[in-house]
Structures are given as structure tokens and as C-alpha cells.
Amino acid sequence: MKKKLLISDIAKQLNVSITTVSFILNGKAKEKRISDDLTERVQKLVEEVGYRPNQLAQSLRTGKTRTIGLMVEDISNPFFANIARLIEERAYQEGYKIVYCSTEDDSDRTKELISMFRDMHVDGYIITPPQGVEEDVEKLIKDGFPVVLVDRQVAGIHTHCVIVDNLSGAYNATAHLMEQGYQNIAFVTTDSRQSQMLQRLEGYRKALAEKQLEPAVLEVPYRYDAKQMLRKIVSFFEETESIDAVLFATNYMAVRGLEAISQFNPQGLPANLGVASYDDHDVFKLLKPTITAVAQPTEAIANHVINLMLHLLNPKNKTSEADTIVLPTQLIIRNSTPRKEVVA
Amino acid sequence: MKKKLLISDIAKQLNVSITTVSFILNGKAKEKRISDDLTERVQKLVEEVGYRPNQLAQSLRTGKTRTIGLMVEDISNPFFANIARLIEERAYQEGYKIVYCSTEDDSDRTKELISMFRDMHVDGYIITPPQGVEEDVEKLIKDGFPVVLVDRQVAGIHTHCVIVDNLSGAYNATAHLMEQGYQNIAFVTTDSRQSQMLQRLEGYRKALAEKQLEPAVLEVPYRYDAKQMLRKIVSFFEETESIDAVLFATNYMAVRGLEAISQFNPQGLPANLGVASYDDHDVFKLLKPTITAVAQPTEAIANHVINLMLHLLNPKNKTSEADTIVLPTQLIIRNSTPRKEVVA
DNA sequence: TTGAAAGCGCTAACAA
DNA sequence: TTGTTAGCGCTTTCAA
């Protein structure tokens, strides 16, 4: 095992003090008026022998780890996976590491993760907060840590936040269905009280209300697994036969829902049933028919989040006001919402 | 900002020395014959005031971070995402943290990541190695770090390894296609020379050879993006019209391939074309028809990997021989490989 | 312009 | 059975 090089080794070899080497390594050569000649010699040697400072010691001393904690609801969900990857990429370029975790929207788990991140001394927190962690997050903020919320807001947490215009997104999708001639539009969502879910529901209701149509909402319990969810959706469709279109509140519900629908119609989607999903999914354009969806701007979300975080992490920047960034969605019209043939 | 508690605060409050507290906290109370009474009082106070040792200081002192570095080819691929999640879960239970990264199968990037992990002082490495990092990985091993390879082997790296029986998997899928009456079976793979890919190719060839059938292999360059891949696959199908079945070497190639096929047949899969994929995918059972696939035992892979790693991490265990664990795959027969109607 | 030395918070060898 | 103390490797104040 090659012995790890120390800063003292570098200093010794060049017959200078540790301090000098440290200053040079930390870009303070100019500031400390260290001769260009010496600066260069130090840098050259460091390069040559491949010296790398011990980050643990650095962090212990400075209190900074150049690490950002990223907690999303479920890293295996393509929406979050994409955002995470984009954030990681940028963070990495800026010399930050990302550690991520899935909250599974469980408040206890989230609290534990926050506490784990604190123990790891991450410099900042990016969180999709579940309900019930208000206090813990507020504490982080009070303790001076940069915190950026993503995807949803939680009443009682006052900090920077990047979300999507869920209401308009759901409104537009519903309006589109109505324009295509559908009259009995169901909304399949979860029973979670997350802000983004409530806003989608509201968008749906608002669109219907404008045309005096009746809402038909199915709330599938959040904890249901795939099979239970499937069953629930199936029985919903059985009970409410008049439905001629359905808007799913998330992409994974849409996937389950499509499975459910195909139980009734092994031939594929019935021609007279309109289907749309909030949140796009890679496979929607593979299915027959391709599925109309409300796409969320993952790239823009990731960019705003990481920019905000980097800004907050920079000690030069005064602590700014907690601002909420709301990004627009895009309705991608595919083949699952054709014009409905009206029988006179 | 609440002042962070130190071990000295605990010691002071109880009028004992720091050492005593440290011993108790590290489970050495018995060993050091510290009175049960004192032990209890210390634990109680620690609990009450919520004291948590500074991990940075601990790590600096002990040289251990209780962190495992996990590098997979692409964390947004469901196969790796699943393995990662399972590994993380177990690691977490055992008091280890996981930091993950995607290599994108790029050797330079992987080298950088390895070096980043070294800087972070991770205790062990779990890697899906790209070609060209043999030296760097060997160096890790020589330096005494536990290294477990997953999904593929690389000649020149001698360490523990968990892989899947790729050859049999591809062989079985191909054999199944032949049994169903297909005669001109294409194999769509990448040009990557990764061991698992070569083994799949070999399994395919072996099955064909036994029936004296001719192979028809398309190698799509690994660096191609989705669009380029699509185009390549499309032109392959155009050039080789006699093909009556195709086995895709990975799930993402299958997804692209299915898109390609649907360009010819907007109605869906042609009834006379058999399709199977190595590596299962959530959506395969959603598509019409559902897609036959070779499922890899993600759970078993994850379990073996983490068990191996935890074993290696335990200083009590003597360094054992580098063993390779080969796990079986499972052929899931769905509707995309129906018995071929032979026209006499 | 450079160096000596005091910690950051903890572990553990050694002493008592 | 418990306490004293020397580091782990680095940054940075203060002194020269």
C-alpha cells in the first residue's frame, strides 16, 4: 500500500513550511504575496507526486464537505431519476458531490435521512418534502443550512422552492379532453395531501366547473402496492361505467391504470375512451395508442434547483429572500385522446 | 444555531473523562470494565441531549467512513436502479452509507470517480467496470480496499465478482425462439466488448449452431443516442427482410427496437415476427403483445454483492479467495414469441 | 513573505 | 476501572 502523501511531505521536500504550501494549494498565493517562483515549484511538485489533500481533515478543519444532500421521493421514478442526474452533473462540475436517498414519502424515514445527512456534514439540502417534516426542515434552515425544496411545497416551511404549475398542467389536460368531446372525465389520483397532487386535482376540477361537468375522482391510497392499486382502479371502472375519459395524476398511476383498462379490453384501449396522464413517461410513446401527457420540464427544474443551491452555498451571496420558482408544463398530445365521435 | 454538543460536554456533565464516554459509546464498556451504572448514566444522557459524535472527526481518527462507493453503468437504467436500491437498503441497515455514481461506461470518467471515492475515503468499492480501468481497480485492490465487481468481469482484475449466467440466458431465449418455429433469428446488440455482452452473443450463436442456423447480428455502436440507434435498427430490418424473429441484447435496445419495428407496422408487432429481450423491463408486460424476456435476478445479485462487501469490510474475516458468483436467469415467456405458423 | 503552533472532535495507547 | 494525552491531516492566526 503506497503511503499516503501529506502536506508536510511536500513542504519538507521543498524546504518550505506547511503553511506556505497550504496557502498556495488554496489559491491564496497572491493574497499572501508568495513568490511566483515558489508557487510554481510547489504546484509542480504536487502535480508530479500526485499529492491530494485529505478531505476528511480539510472538512474537519473548515466545517465544509462540498457535498450536497439530495432527497427525492423515489429515485427509481424516471422523473426524479432524471432530475437527480442533471443536478449531479452540474454539481460535479462545480466541485460538489451529491449524495442521494429516497424518502419514499415517509416522514419518519425522511427525518432519519436528514439526521444522517447532518451527521455527514453535507453543506446543503435539496428535498422533495413529505408531510410531517416541517419542524425538521425548519430547524435546518434556522441552523443556517441552505435548503431548496423541489416538486412540492409544504405549508410551514419557508424556503427556496422550485415547483411546476400543476394546476395549469392538469387544467390544460382536462380542457383538452373536453375539447375533444369527452364529457365524463375521471381523475385518478392518490390520497396523498401533497401540494402538487392537490393542485392537479384543483386544475381538473376547475376545468370541469367551467363547463358545468361533474367530477369523478378516484383516490387510491398512497401505500397501495401495484397489485392493490390495480384492483382499486379496476373496480372503479366497473362502478362508473359512464366514464368516457380518464386523466391520471401521475405517470405510474397511468401505467397501472392502463393495465387495469386492458383487463377489460384485451385488444387494447377501447376506441371510445380518452386517456391522458400528468407527467410524461418514456413508454407513453411506445404504447398503442401513444398516450397524451403533461410533460414536466425536468431539465429546467434541475437547473433552477442547482443554480439556487450553488448561489446559496456561495458565502459571498447575502442570504436572499425565499423565492418560489414556478415552471410551466407542456401538454403533449398523442393518440390516446382522439376526437370523440358523438352519437347523435 | 444550536451549538453542537461535544463528547467533552457529555464527559463534563457527568464528571467523567472523555475516554470513558468514548469507550461506552463505542461499545467497549464491558471490555474496559466500566461499571454498568456509569455506562447506563452515560447512555441516558447522550440520548437525552441528543449527542451525536462528529463523523468527520471519527473518520479522520479511525480512517473509516462507513461509506461504500457504488459505481454502476447508468443509474437511470431500471436494472441498475433496482440493484442500487436493494444494496442501499441493506447497507443502510448495517450502518453503512452508499454513495453512487454512473460510469456511463466511460473509462476516463470511471477513473475520475474512483479517485473521487478515494478522496472521500470510502471503505469499499462496488463497481460495474468499463474496459480500460483494470490498472486503477487493481491498484485499489493492492492498496487493500475491498472491491466487488457486478454484472460483468474484466480480464486483468482479480477480485470478487457477482455476475449472471449470460450465456445460458441468451441461449435459452434463442432456443425458445427456435422451438417456436422461428428460423431466421436476429440478434441486436452493442459493439461494446463487455464480458456480459459477449457472453450473450455467444449464447445466441451456440443455440443457433446446434440447429445449423445462420446468425444475423447487428452491433449498434454503444455511443449512439436513442435516435441514431433507432435509425440503425430500422435500416438493419430493411436490409434483412428474411428475419422472422429478433432477440435484443438489452432492455433499452429492445425498447428502441420495438419503436423501430412499429415504424414498419403502425398496427403493432407483425404477427409473424417473434421478439424477445435479454433483461426484463417493467413495460414489457404492458405492451401489446407482452414481450418475452430473460429476467435477471436483481434481488439475488444485490444480496450477494452486499453480503460479500460486508464480509470483506469486517476486519474479523481473513481475506478470502476472490470468488465469482454466477447467478441463473429466468426466461419469462410472454406473447411476443408465439408459435410460428409454418406455411407448407 | 514565511513559519510556528493552535486547534477542528474524536480514539486509544499508556498510565494510574 | 478511569484519566491524560498524543495524534489523525489540515487551515489559519499570529508572530517574525
Side-chain angles (χ1 to χ4, degrees):
Chain A
M1 163 104 108
K2 189 168 101 192
K3 209 168 113 270
K4 193 76 175 110
L5 284 167
L6 304 183
I7 193 170
S8 55
D9 296 327
I10 304 293
K12 214 170 294 168
Q13 288 215 24
L14 259 35
N15 259 311
V16 293
S17 81
I18 292 179
T19 317
T20 308
V21 178
S22 174
F23 281 151
I24 294 173
L25 256 32
N26 291 296
K28 298 190 180 159
K30 282 275 167 301
E31 185 187 326
K32 299 292 177 182
R33 300 146 174 268
I34 292 167
S35 71
D36 287 1
D37 174 56
L38 179 55
T39 303
E40 235 167 73
R41 271 162 52 223
V42 169
Q43 286 170 337
K44 185 145 161 281
L45 180 62
V46 163
E47 177 77 17
E48 261 177 37
V49 300
Y51 165 73
R52 320 209 57 174
N54 181 322
Q55 285 189 357
L56 290 170
Q58 261 177 334
S59 296
L60 178 59
R61 187 56 235 237
T62 61
K64 297 287 160 223
T65 53
R66 295 196 76 80
T67 299
I68 297 168
L70 171 58
M71 305 175 33
V72 296
E73 178 171 330
D74 175 10
I75 194 69
S76 67
N77 177 320
F79 172 64
F80 292 117
N82 268 318
I83 290 180
R85 210 175 11 151
L86 294 165
I87 289 179
E88 182 177 9
E89 195 66 37
R90 271 291 304 287
Y92 187 60
Q93 289 164 8
E94 307 284 339
Y96 277 92
K97 297 172 282 290
I98 296 277
V99 292
Y100 28 69
C101 281
S102 301
T103 66
E104 284 159 25
D105 209 51
D106 178 312
S107 61
D108 287 335
R109 186 181 160 95
T110 306
K111 287 176 188 179
E112 262 192 72
L113 291 173
I114 289 178
S115 143
M116 188 182 99
F117 280 176
R118 278 197 88 131
D119 286 349
M120 292 178 75
H121 293 251
V122 304
D123 294 342
Y125 297 76
I126 300 174
I127 310 181
T128 60
Q131 241 102 16
V133 297
E134 295 79 3
E135 269 183 44
D136 299 72
V137 176
E138 274 292 332
K139 190 146 171 307
L140 285 178
I141 299 166
K142 214 173 301 157
D143 288 352
F145 291 101
V147 176
V148 175
L149 266 31
V150 203
D151 183 51
R152 66 197 69 165
Q153 277 173 308
V154 171
I157 304 182
H158 187 67
T159 189
H160 307 270
C161 189
V162 178
I163 55 175
V164 143
D165 190 347
N166 288 278
L167 196 148
S168 301
Y171 176 90
N172 292 340
T174 311
H176 165 67
L177 285 167
M178 296 190 305
E179 277 162 30
Q180 295 297 76
Y182 299 97
Q183 308 252 16
N184 293 295
I185 304 170
F187 186 65
V188 176
T189 181
T190 79
D191 65 347
S192 140
R193 301 290 91 177
Q194 297 166 351
S195 68
Q196 82 282 21
M197 289 310 185
L198 294 177
Q199 285 167 11
R200 290 173 201 176
L201 176 58
E202 209 182 315
Y204 160 78
R205 284 187 188 283
K206 185 178 159 213
L208 288 187
E210 287 178 3
K211 303 284 181 198
Q212 278 90 41
L213 293 179
E214 280 305 307
V217 176
L218 168 64
E219 289 186 356
V220 179
Y222 181 78
R223 295 289 161 219
Y224 273 23
D225 61 26
K227 208 162 153 194
Q228 292 173 302
M229 195 187 293
L230 190 64
R231 200 171 297 145
K232 187 87 181 176
I233 294 176
V234 167
S235 58
F236 174 71
F237 281 118
E238 282 171 348
E239 286 161 18
T240 50
E241 286 191 19
S242 60
I243 282 171
D244 60 2
V246 53
L247 172 61
F248 292 99
T250 71
N251 54 13
Y252 64 88
M253 301 202 83
V255 169
R256 293 292 152 254
L258 290 167
E259 267 193 74
I261 291 169
S262 74
Q263 294 209 347
F264 292 91
N265 299 71
Q267 315 313 329
L269 270 192
N272 53 350
L273 183 71
V275 172
S277 172
Y278 192 101
D279 209 1
D280 201 5
H281 194 297
D282 268 356
V283 306
F284 285 167
K285 55 178 186 292
L286 253 190
L287 298 176
K288 300 287 167 197
T290 55
I291 307 294
T292 294
V294 177
Q296 307 199 67
T298 44
E299 201 154 329
I301 295 172
N303 280 330
H304 277 97
V305 166
I306 190 68
N307 285 342
L308 253 173
M309 180 50 76
L310 291 171
H311 180 86
L312 295 171
L313 245 17
N314 190 332
K316 270 183 291 195
N317 298 315
K318 291 282 120 210
T319 46
S320 46
E321 266 310 286
D323 43 345
T324 297
I325 297 174
V326 181
L327 300 169
T329 59
Q330 194 196 349
L331 180 63
I332 300 180
I333 297 172
R334 299 205 181 90
N335 301 331
S336 64
T337 51
R339 174 121 215 102
K340 189 183 177 188
E341 301 306 328
V342 185
V343 184
Chain B
M1 165 104 109
K2 188 168 103 193
K3 209 167 114 274
K4 194 75 175 113
L5 285 166
L6 305 183
I7 193 170
S8 55
D9 295 328
I10 303 293
K12 215 169 293 168
Q13 287 213 28
L14 257 35
N15 259 311
V16 293
S17 82
I18 292 179
T19 317
T20 309
V21 178
S22 174
F23 282 150
I24 294 174
L25 256 32
N26 291 297
K28 298 190 179 160
K30 283 275 167 302
E31 185 185 327
K32 299 292 176 182
R33 300 146 175 267
I34 291 166
S35 71
D36 286 2
D37 174 55
L38 180 54
T39 302
E40 236 166 73
R41 272 161 53 223
V42 169
Q43 286 171 337
K44 187 148 160 277
L45 181 61
V46 163
E47 176 77 16
E48 262 177 38
V49 300
Y51 164 74
R52 322 209 57 173
N54 181 322
Q55 285 190 356
L56 290 170
Q58 262 177 334
S59 296
L60 178 60
R61 187 57 239 237
T62 61
K64 296 288 158 221
T65 54
R66 294 196 77 81
T67 299
I68 297 168
L70 171 58
M71 306 174 33
V72 296
E73 178 171 329
D74 174 11
I75 193 69
S76 67
N77 177 320
F79 171 64
F80 292 117
N82 267 319
I83 290 181
R85 211 177 9 150
L86 294 165
I87 289 180
E88 181 176 10
E89 196 65 38
R90 272 291 305 286
Y92 188 60
Q93 288 164 8
E94 307 284 338
Y96 278 92
K97 296 172 282 289
I98 295 279
V99 292
Y100 26 70
C101 281
S102 301
T103 65
E104 284 158 25
D105 210 50
D106 178 311
S107 61
D108 287 336
R109 186 182 161 93
T110 305
K111 287 177 189 180
E112 262 193 71
L113 291 173
I114 289 178
S115 144
M116 188 181 98
F117 279 176
R118 278 198 89 131
D119 285 350
M120 291 178 76
H121 292 250
V122 303
D123 294 342
Y125 297 76
I126 299 173
I127 310 182
T128 60
Q131 241 102 15
V133 297
E134 294 78 3
E135 270 183 42
D136 299 73
V137 176
E138 273 293 331
K139 189 145 172 308
L140 285 178
I141 299 166
K142 213 172 300 156
D143 288 353
F145 291 102
V147 176
V148 175
L149 267 30
V150 204
D151 183 51
R152 66 196 70 162
Q153 275 172 310
V154 171
I157 304 181
H158 187 69
T159 188
H160 308 270
C161 188
V162 178
I163 54 175
V164 143
D165 189 348
N166 287 277
L167 196 149
S168 301
Y171 176 90
N172 292 340
T174 311
H176 165 67
L177 285 166
M178 296 190 305
E179 276 163 30
Q180 295 296 76
Y182 300 98
Q183 308 251 18
N184 293 296
I185 304 169
F187 185 65
V188 176
T189 182
T190 78
D191 64 347
S192 141
R193 301 290 91 177
Q194 298 166 351
S195 68
Q196 83 282 19
M197 289 310 190
L198 294 178
Q199 285 166 12
R200 291 173 200 176
L201 176 59
E202 209 182 315
Y204 160 79
R205 284 188 188 282
K206 184 177 161 215
L208 288 187
E210 288 179 2
K211 302 285 180 196
Q212 277 92 40
L213 293 179
E214 279 305 307
V217 176
L218 168 64
E219 288 187 357
V220 180
Y222 180 77
R223 296 287 162 222
Y224 272 23
D225 62 26
K227 210 164 153 191
Q228 292 173 301
M229 196 187 292
L230 191 64
R231 200 170 298 145
K232 187 89 181 172
I233 295 176
V234 167
S235 59
F236 174 72
F237 281 119
E238 282 172 348
E239 287 160 18
T240 49
E241 285 191 20
S242 61
I243 282 170
D244 61 2
V246 52
L247 172 60
F248 291 100
T250 70
N251 55 13
Y252 63 89
M253 302 202 82
V255 169
R256 294 293 152 252
L258 289 168
E259 267 192 76
I261 292 170
S262 75
Q263 294 208 348
F264 292 90
N265 300 72
Q267 314 314 328
L269 271 191
N272 52 349
L273 182 72
V275 173
S277 171
Y278 192 101
D279 208 1
D280 201 5
H281 193 297
D282 267 356
V283 306
F284 285 167
K285 56 177 184 291
L286 252 190
L287 298 175
K288 300 288 166 197
T290 54
I291 307 294
T292 294
V294 178
Q296 307 199 67
T298 45
E299 202 154 328
I301 295 173
N303 280 330
H304 278 96
V305 167
I306 190 69
N307 285 342
L308 253 173
M309 181 49 77
L310 291 171
H311 179 86
L312 295 171
L313 246 17
N314 191 332
K316 268 181 292 192
N317 298 314
K318 290 284 119 207
T319 45
S320 45
E321 267 309 285
D323 43 344
T324 297
I325 298 174
V326 180
L327 301 170
T329 59
Q330 194 196 350
L331 180 64
I332 300 180
I333 297 171
R334 298 205 181 89
N335 302 330
S336 64
T337 51
R339 173 122 215 101
K340 189 183 177 189
E341 300 306 327
V342 185
V343 184

